[in-house]
């Protein structure tokens, strides 16, 4: 039948309908319902709140300040935290604010020590008179004594002048403005992709600056004007490009200074790279064939003036094949007679002048000669006079070319048409070489001795994977050149830095470059270190005075309420307040 037991039974019976208890039990509906009750101020609103309307008696950080605002706004709040995180201090601030707003507070705890911690904190600020400790069942005399102490305190409680409050508020707003400026987001991201504030940027400059050799710092500052163009995306892109260079073998000693270096900048796209790889592979396959290997030996036998180069061999065989085609229709043993028929295909007037005879004689002589010409052909197929003329002219030109390169006309009686395969192989090689001319080989592959050309082709073929990556290498180099990183990398190498120090140096310079640009372009012209120092000094001094004056402000508010109480209460208070015994 104890009242406490009765209360517990009632609570157990109605607990499921109690919004706070059901929320604590984890019922989502109750939790959401509690969230709609009361109001709270945002951190931005609290940070610029006028101190004159606040009644905190202890400093409060942002989380404590937000909790106090939520409680005063009627929110149902649960505060958790390990020892030393300011729970008792926050409770003391809540009690002070509630008392200043003429509200009563019931403070209970499982252990007496928790109550004592809060009571002692309030007593420290001179607010022990507003506390009625029910633990010892105080009598009327104790209550009267507490009220008397409040009234006595009222007589000596100080108040911060409005002018000082204005100074405090002005300093607070300036500090808040500076805080917002320092914490403005920048366009930079850290290596985890998180946005950096200006304060983060300053912190990084300080951290990285402490990790490098200060004697090497001044020379590196010359690169700041280049580095401030490198955004986080560009930085990450450069990192990826360096990774591409590494994976492609750009830094490999096998590739450095190799033959392919001379045309690295000429292979500008994946399609060009694939075409070069295909042609190099095809050319290598051709020069390894039996026909290509024997072409020189065979050509040298039939054309003594042939050199051991692709151009010379192909030219010699080409002229030889032209002779083959030209004489294939004629009885070459009667070459002189055949060539003498060429004038017969001229005009009559030319023929008349050449022969010096009459028109009729020339006509019948020409007619007779034209009728004899087909008998010199190996084939009996009918051709027109114009076709016959072209065939004889081709024979004449082919034989003259043949003789010009050292060929013997007597050898024309036993030509080997199988050499057409050699010509075909050589022409395929020449076509590929001409297709690679944009690579600007010096000297041209076609003019090299075949064994030397084969060696060069083999060397290039060893770097096909490297050639495949050349467009990426080219793009990476252009990107690094665009942002002037070659000079910086060379500078870091010349400093003989370890890798970790070089990375710290890079981070220091990169962050410094952006910090310098931001300070120049976004700094508040009305702000200086002197005004900030003055604001800090003013705020610290006035804020200390404000905390000292708040207890008196609270007591004055309570006392004014007491003075307006009913007359019986006023008489009791006056009577008790003048009792010498207290």
């Amino acid at each position: 039948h104890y009242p406490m037991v009765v209360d517990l039974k009632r609570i157990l019976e109605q607990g499921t309908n109690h919004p706070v208890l059901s929320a604590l039990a984890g019922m989502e509906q109750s939790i959401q319902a509690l969230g709609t009750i009361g109001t709270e101020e945002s951190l931005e609103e609290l940070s610029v709140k006028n101190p004159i309307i606040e009644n905190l008696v202890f400093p409060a950080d942002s989380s404590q300040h937000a909790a106090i605002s939520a409680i005063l706004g009627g929110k149902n709040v649960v505060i958790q935290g390990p020892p030393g995180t300011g729970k008792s201090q926050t409770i003391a601030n809540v009690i002070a604010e509630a008392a200043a707003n003429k509200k009563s507070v019931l403070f209970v705890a499982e252990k007496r020590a928790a109550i004592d911690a809060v009571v002692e904190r309030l007593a420290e600020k001179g607010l022990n008179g507003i506390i009625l400790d029910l633990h010892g069942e105080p009598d009327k005399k104790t209550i009267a004594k507490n009220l008397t102490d409040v009234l006595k305190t009222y007589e000596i409680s100080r108040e911060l002048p409005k002018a000082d409050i204005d100074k405090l508020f002005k300093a607070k707003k300036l500090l808040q403005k500076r805080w917002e400026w320092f914490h403005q987001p920048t366009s930079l991201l850290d290596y985890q992709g998180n946005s950096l504030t200006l304060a983060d940027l300053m912190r990084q400059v300080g951290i990285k600056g402490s990790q490098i050799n200060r004697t090497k710092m001044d020379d590196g500052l010359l690169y700041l004007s280049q580095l401030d163009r490198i955004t986080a995306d560009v930085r990450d892109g450069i990192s990826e490009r360096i990774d591409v260079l590494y994976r492609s073998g750009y830094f490999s000693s096998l590739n450095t200074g190799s033959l392919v270096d001379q045309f690295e900048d000429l292979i500008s796209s994946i399609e060009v790279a694939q075409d070069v790889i295909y042609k190099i592979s095809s050319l290598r396959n051709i020069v390894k064939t039996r026909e290509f290997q024997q072409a020189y030996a065979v050509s040298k036998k039939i054309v003594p003036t042939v050199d051991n180069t692709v151009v010379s061999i192909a030219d010699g065989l080409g002229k030889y094949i032209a002779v083959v085609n030209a004489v294939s229709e004629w009885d070459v043993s009667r070459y002189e007679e055949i060539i003498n028929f060429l004038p017969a295909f001229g005009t009559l007037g030319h023929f008349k002048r050449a022969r010096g005879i009459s028109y009729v004689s020339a006509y019948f002589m020409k007619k007779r000669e034209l009728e004899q010409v087909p008998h010199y052909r190996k084939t009996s197929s009918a051709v027109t006079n114009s076709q016959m003329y072209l065939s004889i002219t081709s024979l004449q030109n082919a034989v003259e070319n043949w003789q010009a390169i050292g060929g013997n006309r007597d050898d024309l009686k036993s030509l080997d048409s199988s050499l057409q395969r050699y010509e075909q192989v050589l022409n395929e090689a020449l076509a590929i070489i001409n297709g690679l001319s944009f690579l600007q080989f010096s000297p041209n592959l076609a003019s090299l001795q075949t064994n030397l050309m084969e060696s060069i082709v083999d060397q290039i073929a060893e770097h096909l994977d490297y050639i495949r990556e050349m467009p990426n290498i080219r793009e990476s180099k252009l990107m690094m050149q665009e942002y002037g990183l070659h000079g910086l990398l060379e500078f870091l190498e010349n400093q003989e830095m370890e890798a970790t120090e070089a990375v710290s140096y890079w981070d220091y310079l990169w962050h410094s470059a952006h910090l310098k640009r931001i300070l120049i372009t976004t700094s508040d012209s009305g702000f200086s270190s002197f005004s900030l120092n003055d604001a800090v000094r003013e705020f610290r001094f006035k804020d200390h005075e404000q905390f000292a004056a708040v207890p008196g402000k609270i007591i004055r508010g309570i006392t004014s309420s007491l003075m307006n109480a009913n007359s019986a209460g006023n008489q009791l208070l006056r009577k008790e307040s003048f009792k010498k015994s207290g």
Side-chain angles (χ1 to χ4, degrees):
H1 300 291
Y2 283 115
M4 184 174 68
V5 175
V6 175
D7 285 345
L8 286 175
K9 286 182 178 180
R10 177 176 50 79
I11 291 173
L12 288 174
E13 292 172 356
Q14 301 179 356
T16 55
N17 297 322
H18 196 290
V20 176
L21 292 180
S22 58
L24 290 173
M27 293 183 66
E28 189 65 30
Q29 185 176 359
S30 297
I31 294 174
Q32 293 178 358
L34 286 180
T36 63
I37 299 175
T39 60
E40 59 182 317
E41 297 170 289
S42 65
L43 292 180
E44 289 76 13
E45 292 170 331
L46 290 170
S47 62
V48 294
K49 196 172 184 178
N50 194 326
I52 200 170
I53 62 176
E54 291 187 307
N55 299 284
L56 302 180
V57 292
F58 293 100
D61 64 21
S62 58
S63 63
Q64 295 167 344
H65 210 170
I68 296 169
S69 171
I71 294 170
L72 295 176
K75 289 282 186 182
N76 293 277
V77 177
V78 176
I79 300 175
Q80 289 179 307
T85 53
K87 295 186 298 297
S88 297
Q89 184 167 306
T90 300
I91 293 172
N93 270 331
V94 170
I95 293 174
E97 280 282 11
N101 286 278
K102 301 179 178 58
K103 294 181 179 179
S104 58
V105 179
L106 173 62
F107 175 46
V108 296
E110 183 180 7
K111 297 180 180 179
R112 177 67 196 185
I115 296 177
D116 289 341
V118 174
V119 170
E120 289 172 3
R121 287 180 179 274
L122 292 172
E124 177 187 331
K125 296 297 183 179
L127 294 177
N128 53 312
I130 70 172
I131 301 169
L132 179 59
D133 190 348
L134 301 179
H135 184 69
E137 297 183 1
D139 53 19
K140 294 180 180 180
K141 184 177 180 180
T142 302
I143 296 174
K145 180 180 181 303
N146 288 347
L147 294 177
T148 301
D149 289 340
V150 170
L151 292 174
K152 287 183 177 180
T153 306
Y154 168 75
E155 297 175 356
I156 60 172
S157 61
R158 56 193 296 263
E159 181 178 3
L160 196 63
K162 185 179 183 304
D164 289 346
I165 290 289
D166 291 341
K167 290 181 180 179
L168 173 60
F169 192 35
K170 182 178 179 181
K172 181 178 182 180
K173 287 197 293 185
L174 180 58
L175 293 179
Q176 177 63 22
K177 184 179 179 182
R178 290 302 98 205
W179 187 93
E180 292 172 353
W181 185 80
F182 279 117
H183 289 80
Q184 63 179 305
T186 67
S187 60
L188 300 186
L189 304 175
D190 61 18
Y191 290 108
Q192 286 72 43
N194 302 316
S195 178
L196 291 176
T197 65
L198 184 57
D200 295 330
L201 200 56
M202 292 180 174
R203 188 179 301 109
Q204 287 298 321
V205 171
I207 292 174
K208 299 303 179 182
S210 65
Q211 296 174 349
I212 62 178
N213 187 337
R214 306 291 292 188
T215 60
K216 301 176 182 178
M217 189 178 298
D218 292 340
D219 294 334
L221 296 178
L222 299 175
Y223 297 93
L224 294 187
S225 59
Q226 298 172 340
L227 297 181
D228 67 1
R229 297 187 300 119
I230 301 178
T231 64
D233 291 339
V234 172
R235 177 204 63 192
D236 294 340
I238 292 171
S239 299
E240 292 175 2
R241 292 302 173 189
I242 292 177
D243 187 52
V244 166
L245 293 177
Y246 175 77
R247 285 188 287 103
S248 65
Y250 178 77
F251 300 111
S252 170
S253 57
L254 297 176
N255 292 325
T256 303
S258 66
L259 180 65
V260 295
D261 281 348
Q262 66 177 292
F263 52 80
E264 177 184 286
D265 293 335
L266 301 174
I267 300 180
S268 57
S269 68
I270 299 296
E271 292 74 21
V272 173
Q274 291 174 340
D275 183 59
V276 170
I277 292 172
Y278 171 75
K279 288 178 178 176
I280 292 295
S281 301
S282 300
L283 183 60
R284 191 183 188 210
N285 292 334
I286 289 174
V287 300
K288 299 292 185 184
T289 60
R290 180 179 60 84
E291 291 88 349
F292 187 87
Q293 299 288 341
Q294 294 178 346
Y296 172 66
V298 174
S299 300
K300 193 69 175 177
K301 289 181 181 179
I302 58 177
V303 186
T305 58
V306 167
D307 294 328
N308 187 16
T309 65
V310 180
V311 170
S312 182
I313 299 172
D315 182 60
L317 283 180
K319 291 177 179 178
Y320 171 78
I321 298 299
V323 171
V324 170
N325 293 329
V327 304
S328 61
E329 301 176 356
W330 300 94
D331 180 1
V332 185
S333 61
R334 303 179 68 181
Y335 173 76
E336 298 295 346
E337 298 176 46
I338 297 170
I339 296 303
N340 287 334
F341 281 117
L342 275 174
F345 291 91
T347 63
L348 286 176
H350 174 75
F351 189 75
K352 178 182 178 181
R353 286 193 299 272
R355 295 290 185 174
I357 56 178
S358 68
Y359 173 80
V360 175
S361 298
Y363 172 78
F364 281 100
M365 184 177 292
K366 179 175 182 180
K367 185 174 183 297
R368 183 173 60 251
E369 290 177 348
L370 291 176
E371 291 172 347
Q372 292 176 353
V373 170
H375 299 291
Y376 292 92
R377 289 172 56 83
K378 290 182 179 180
T379 60
S380 58
S381 58
V383 292
T384 63
N385 286 348
S386 60
Q387 290 173 334
M388 189 72 71
Y389 175 77
L390 292 175
S391 180
I392 295 176
T393 303
S394 175
L395 172 64
Q396 182 187 29
N397 293 336
V399 172
E400 289 176 355
N401 288 334
W402 175 252
Q403 292 174 327
I405 61 175
N408 190 335
R409 194 194 308 166
D410 294 335
D411 295 336
L412 298 178
K413 300 174 183 178
S414 57
L415 287 174
D416 183 4
S417 60
S418 64
L419 290 179
Q420 289 179 328
R421 173 57 187 162
Y422 294 129
E423 183 195 36
Q424 179 183 355
V425 171
L426 288 168
N427 285 335
E428 289 177 2
L430 276 175
I432 294 174
I433 291 172
N434 291 334
L436 295 172
S437 61
F438 76 96
L439 296 180
Q440 302 174 2
F441 288 105
S442 182
N444 188 281
L445 291 177
S447 63
L448 293 174
Q449 298 290 316
T450 55
N451 59 339
L452 180 56
M453 186 202 70
E454 181 181 355
S455 174
I456 291 176
V457 172
D458 284 340
Q459 290 181 40
I460 298 174
E462 293 176 358
H463 296 80
L464 292 185
D465 290 338
Y466 188 53
I467 292 173
R468 185 175 291 106
E469 291 293 336
M470 278 186 178
N472 291 328
I473 293 173
R474 183 173 181 271
E475 185 179 350
S476 300
K477 290 176 63 177
L478 289 175
M479 186 174 189
M480 295 177 71
Q481 289 171 357
E482 179 184 356
Y483 292 99
L485 287 179
H486 282 89
L488 178 59
L489 292 176
E490 182 179 356
F491 166 75
L492 294 177
E493 285 184 343
N494 292 338
Q495 297 297 318
E496 298 181 352
M497 294 182 178
E498 295 293 332
T500 53
E501 185 182 5
V503 170
S504 296
Y505 205 104
W506 154 258
D507 281 337
Y508 169 76
L509 292 177
W510 185 66
H511 287 111
S512 296
H514 285 276
L515 178 60
K516 180 180 178 181
R517 178 174 57 82
I518 292 174
L519 291 176
I520 291 175
T521 58
T522 66
S523 179
D524 186 349
S525 59
F527 165 75
S528 68
S529 58
F530 296 106
S531 62
L532 179 61
N533 289 336
D534 291 342
V536 171
R537 192 181 303 108
E538 186 75 19
F539 179 82
R540 181 183 296 144
F541 178 71
K542 296 301 179 184
D543 195 45
H544 179 75
E545 288 189 335
Q546 166 72 357
F547 276 117
V550 166
K553 174 185 173 184
I554 294 174
I555 291 174
R556 282 191 301 277
I558 295 174
T559 306
S560 63
S561 298
L562 292 174
M563 294 300 185
N564 294 328
N566 59 59
S567 58
N570 283 334
Q571 292 176 1
L572 174 63
L573 290 173
R574 285 203 235 15
K575 179 179 179 182
E576 296 295 335
S577 65
F578 289 104
K579 282 186 179 180
K580 293 182 181 180
S581 62

